[in-house]
Amino acid sequence: MKTAILMIIAIAMLMPLALLAQKPDDITGVWYNGEKTSKIEVFKTTAGNYAGRIVWLKVPNDAAGIPRVDKDNPEASLRARPLMGLVVLTGLNVKANAKYDGGKIYDPKSGKTYSSKAEFDGIDNLKLRGYIGVSIVGRTDTWTRTTK
């Protein structure tokens, strides 16, 4: 009898943790970047991995009132493309336990592309790491879930 009661108590205590478990598609949605200067919509691609595009900018236009462009892109032919709608995250694959890897992230501020991986830090926080070579050499930015 004591064993049955203990099992019921244990299950009741663990149930909230199971409800909070992340599913692979939980990464989809709109996220503020760490600086809250842009919102990135993460979506599932037809290839089954995840990508993200800029859907909001705190400062959408330059000093002349013209929509901001990808002016620091190393490829000259891409420097005139608008930042709004720009896909900055590509190829992120589900690993396990609400972790993702194998992606690329583009930084429009520097014009550089980095390898990326991500993992949840709670329900509405996503730790996204951009790195060169091995993930030890890189930077982590915490994105916060928001609405469009």
Side-chain angles (χ1 to χ4, degrees):
M1 183 69 167
K2 283 184 179 181
T3 305
I5 292 172
L6 288 174
M7 286 187 71
I8 291 171
I9 291 171
I11 290 170
M13 290 174 62
L14 293 174
M15 187 69 81
L17 293 175
L19 294 174
L20 292 177
Q22 301 290 332
K23 298 177 287 302
D25 282 350
D26 285 349
I27 195 171
T28 61
V30 181
W31 300 87
Y32 269 121
N33 68 346
E35 300 170 322
K36 293 201 175 6
T37 56
S38 64
K39 290 182 182 181
I40 297 94
E41 179 182 27
V42 176
F43 57 94
K44 192 169 190 174
T45 69
T46 55
N49 54 35
Y50 298 90
R53 72 177 140 251
I54 298 172
V55 294
W56 176 87
L57 292 165
K58 186 174 186 177
V59 182
N61 300 324
D62 64 17
I66 299 168
R68 290 175 51 204
V69 295
D70 191 15
K71 65 181 178 56
D72 294 315
N73 195 298
E75 196 170 319
S77 65
L78 298 177
R79 292 181 189 153
R81 67 183 179 171
L83 288 182
M84 193 66 70
L86 182 66
V87 174
V88 293
L89 179 66
T90 58
L92 209 54
N93 295 298
V94 176
K95 187 174 176 184
N97 301 325
K99 293 183 180 182
Y100 306 81
D101 69 1
K104 297 285 184 189
I105 188 157
Y106 174 69
D107 178 9
K109 288 182 186 176
S110 67
K112 295 184 180 175
T113 301
Y114 303 94
S115 296
S116 68
K117 65 181 189 174
E119 67 180 275
F120 281 98
D121 183 17
I123 296 171
D124 291 328
N125 291 311
L126 184 68
K127 290 175 17 180
L128 192 89
R129 184 157 185 84
Y131 59 93
I132 299 170
V134 292
S135 67
I136 294 171
V137 182
R139 183 176 73 87
T140 300
D141 195 28
T142 300
W143 291 7
T144 307
R145 191 180 300 278
T146 185
T147 58
K148 224 174 200 179

